[in-house]
C-alpha cells in the first residue's frame, strides 16, 4: 500500500498504511497465533478463534497518543527530509501541535528512530572512500595511562564536516601511505588534471608527497574540520573505551558517517513499530 504524504490523508488511511507495514504477511493473533481475523472499524482486528481484539497502534508509541496519526506521519516525513535538523519548536508551529511538550516527545522518538535506521543501513553497506577535499591529521590520545596515535581523515563539505575515517597508527610512513591510498578517492577534473584537495600536516611521508604532489596543500591551513572531529573523538573515547581501541574507532566512524545515509519514510516507521 502506498501513502501520499503530500496530500491530506485521513486517519483511516494512515491506520491502513500502518497495518500494511506492521503486518506485511497479514494479521496474526498475539494470543493464540491464529492468522484469521475480522477487521472492525478504525482498523481493529478481532481474532476468529479466541475473540481477542487488537488495534493497529496497540503496543507502539502511537498507542494512547492524542496526536492524530496524520500529524505523526507528517512529522516523520519533515524530520527525515531535513536529516534530523528540524527542532521541536519548528514542528509545533508547522503542524499546529497542542504544546511544545508534545512536539519534543514526537521529535525525540522520531530522531532516535532516524539515527538507529541510518546506523543499521550503514552497517550493511560497504564503506566508501572519502571524496576530496579532505583534511588529514595525526592526533595523540591518552587513556588511563595508555598512549595511542590515530590518523583522522575528514571530508570537507563547504563549512560543514562530511564523512570521516579514523585509524590507529604507529606513525610509520608506510602505514600513513596505505591509509591515504585506501581512504581517499582521487577525482580528476574535466581536463584530466587532479584537483587540489588533500590538506595535511608536514609529517606526510615523502613517497605520498611525490604521488599526490598536485593535490597537497599544507602551508598555513587551520584544520577546523579535523580539530572538531578530534575533539569529539577524544570525548567519545573517554566515555566508551573498555580495552578495545580499534572497536571504538570503528563505532565512532559509524555513528558519524551514518548521518549521510538516506533512509525512507517506511524504514523509519517500521523501526518505530518495534
Amino acid at each position: 500500500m502506498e501513502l501520499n504524504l503530500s496530500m491530506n490523508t485521513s486517519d483511516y488511511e494512515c491506520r491502513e498504511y500502518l497495518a500494511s507495514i506492521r503486518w506485511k504477511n497479514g494479521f496474526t493473533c498475539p494470543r493464540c497465533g491464529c492468522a484469521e481475523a475480522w477487521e472492525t472499524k478504525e482498523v481493529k482486528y478481532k481474532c476468529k478463534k479466541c475473540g481477542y481484539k487488537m488495534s493497529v497502534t496497540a503496543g507502539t508509541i502511537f498507542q494512547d497518543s492524542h496526536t492524530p496519526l496524520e500529524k505523526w506521519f507528517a512529522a516523520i516525513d519533515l524530520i527525515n527530509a531535513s536529516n534530523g535538523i528540524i527542532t521541536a519548536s519548528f514542528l509545533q508551529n508547522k503542524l499546529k501541535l497542542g504544546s511544545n511538550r508534545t512536539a519534543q516527545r514526537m521529535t525525540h522518538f522520531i530522531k532516535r528512530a532516524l539515527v538507529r535506521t541510518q546506523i543499521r543501513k550503514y552497517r550493511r553497506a560497504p564503506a566508501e572512500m572519502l571524496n576530496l577535499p579532505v583534511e588529514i591529521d595525526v592526533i595523540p590520545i591518552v587513556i588511563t595511562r595508555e598512549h595511542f596515535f590515530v590518523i583522522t581523515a575528514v571530508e570537507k563539505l563547504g563549512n560543514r564536516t562530511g564523512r570521516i575515517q579514523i585509524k590507529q597508527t604507529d606513525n610509520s610512513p608506510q602505514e600513513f601511505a596505505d591509509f591515504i591510498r585506501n581512504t581517499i578517492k582521487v577525482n580528476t577534473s574535466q581536463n584530466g588534471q587532479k584537483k587540489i584537495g588533500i590538506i595535511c600536516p608536514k609529517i606526510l611521508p615523502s613517497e605520498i608527497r611525490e604521488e599526490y604532489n598536485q593535490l597537497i596543500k599544507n602551508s598555513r591551513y587551520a584544520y577546523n574540520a579535523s580539530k572538531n572531529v578530534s575533539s569529539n573523538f577524544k570525548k567519545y573515547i573517554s566515555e566508551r573505551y573498555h580495552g578495545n581501541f580499534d572497536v571504538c574507532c570503528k563505532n565512532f566512524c559509524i555513528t558519524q558517517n551514518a548521518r549521510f545515509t538516506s533512509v525512507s519514510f517506511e524504514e523509519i516507521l517500521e523501526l518505530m513499530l518495534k
Side-chain angles (χ1 to χ4, degrees):
M1 178 181 176
E2 294 184 0
L3 188 70
N4 191 346
L5 295 171
S6 62
M7 301 178 64
N8 293 326
T9 52
S10 65
D11 184 72
Y12 181 81
E13 289 175 321
C14 291
R15 287 178 180 273
E16 282 280 350
Y17 182 78
L18 202 62
S20 68
I21 298 297
R22 185 173 188 181
W23 299 305
K24 292 185 177 181
N25 299 320
F27 173 80
T28 302
C29 179
R31 282 191 176 179
C32 67
C34 179
E36 296 183 354
W38 291 289
E39 185 176 338
T40 63
K41 62 179 181 179
E42 297 181 353
V43 194
K44 291 183 179 179
Y45 295 85
K46 182 178 180 180
C47 178
K48 290 184 178 181
K49 185 176 180 180
C50 68
Y52 178 71
K53 293 181 180 180
M54 183 177 182
S55 168
V56 68
T57 58
T60 71
I61 63 172
F62 305 116
Q63 182 180 2
D64 300 328
S65 174
H66 298 293
T67 305
L69 273 179
E70 53 264 35
K71 290 193 175 183
W72 270 102
F73 283 15
I76 295 171
D77 190 50
L78 286 170
I79 291 175
N80 185 33
S82 70
N83 200 20
I85 297 177
I86 283 179
T87 62
S89 299
F90 177 88
L91 204 65
Q92 181 186 4
N93 296 330
K94 182 73 174 178
L95 301 181
K96 296 180 173 57
L97 301 174
S99 66
N100 186 258
R101 183 177 179 180
T102 299
Q104 287 180 347
R105 178 177 179 271
M106 292 174 66
T107 304
H108 168 73
F109 280 120
I110 296 171
K111 286 186 177 182
R112 185 176 67 176
L114 171 63
V115 171
R116 289 173 62 191
T117 306
Q118 287 176 322
I119 290 176
R120 179 180 298 181
K121 192 171 183 178
Y122 179 82
R123 284 182 183 274
R124 293 197 298 261
E128 297 182 356
M129 299 179 75
L130 306 184
N131 296 316
L132 299 177
V134 174
E135 283 188 6
I136 301 174
D137 204 356
V138 176
I139 59 172
I141 303 288
V142 180
I143 311 171
T144 59
R145 298 182 180 180
E146 294 186 74
H147 296 257
F148 303 96
F149 283 92
V150 294
I151 312 174
T152 63
V154 186
E155 274 183 343
K156 288 178 63 67
L157 304 176
N159 295 326
R160 298 186 299 114
T161 299
R163 295 172 302 152
I164 67 171
Q165 287 296 333
I166 294 179
K167 185 179 184 299
Q168 184 179 354
T169 178
D170 57 6
N171 270 346
S172 68
Q174 185 59 47
E175 188 173 31
F176 207 134
D178 291 340
F179 175 80
I180 292 177
R181 292 193 185 100
N182 297 330
T183 301
I184 301 174
K185 181 180 180 181
V186 179
N187 300 321
T188 56
S189 60
Q190 293 180 353
N191 59 10
Q193 294 296 321
K194 293 180 179 179
K195 297 179 181 178
I196 293 175
I198 298 180
I199 305 168
C200 56
K202 294 181 178 179
I203 61 174
L204 196 63
S206 57
E207 57 185 291
I208 286 292
R209 289 190 179 280
E210 294 174 2
E211 183 176 346
Y212 295 94
N213 183 39
Q214 297 180 6
L215 295 170
I216 295 171
K217 280 191 175 182
N218 64 355
S219 54
R220 295 185 299 275
Y221 277 83
Y223 300 90
N224 294 326
S226 57
K227 281 182 179 178
N228 290 338
V229 170
S230 300
S231 176
N232 292 336
F233 178 66
K234 287 179 179 179
K235 182 178 179 181
Y236 178 91
I237 204 77
S238 65
E239 297 172 350
R240 310 203 180 193
Y241 177 69
H242 298 291
N244 196 324
F245 191 82
D246 290 335
V247 170
C248 285
C249 290
K250 181 180 179 180
N251 290 338
F252 178 75
C253 289
I254 288 174
T255 58
Q256 296 297 308
N257 295 343
R259 297 178 295 129
F260 302 96
T261 303
S262 298
V263 295
S264 66
F265 171 87
E266 181 179 334
E267 289 172 318
I268 300 172
L269 187 60
E270 188 175 355
L271 191 140
M272 292 178 71
L273 291 172
K274 294 180 179 179

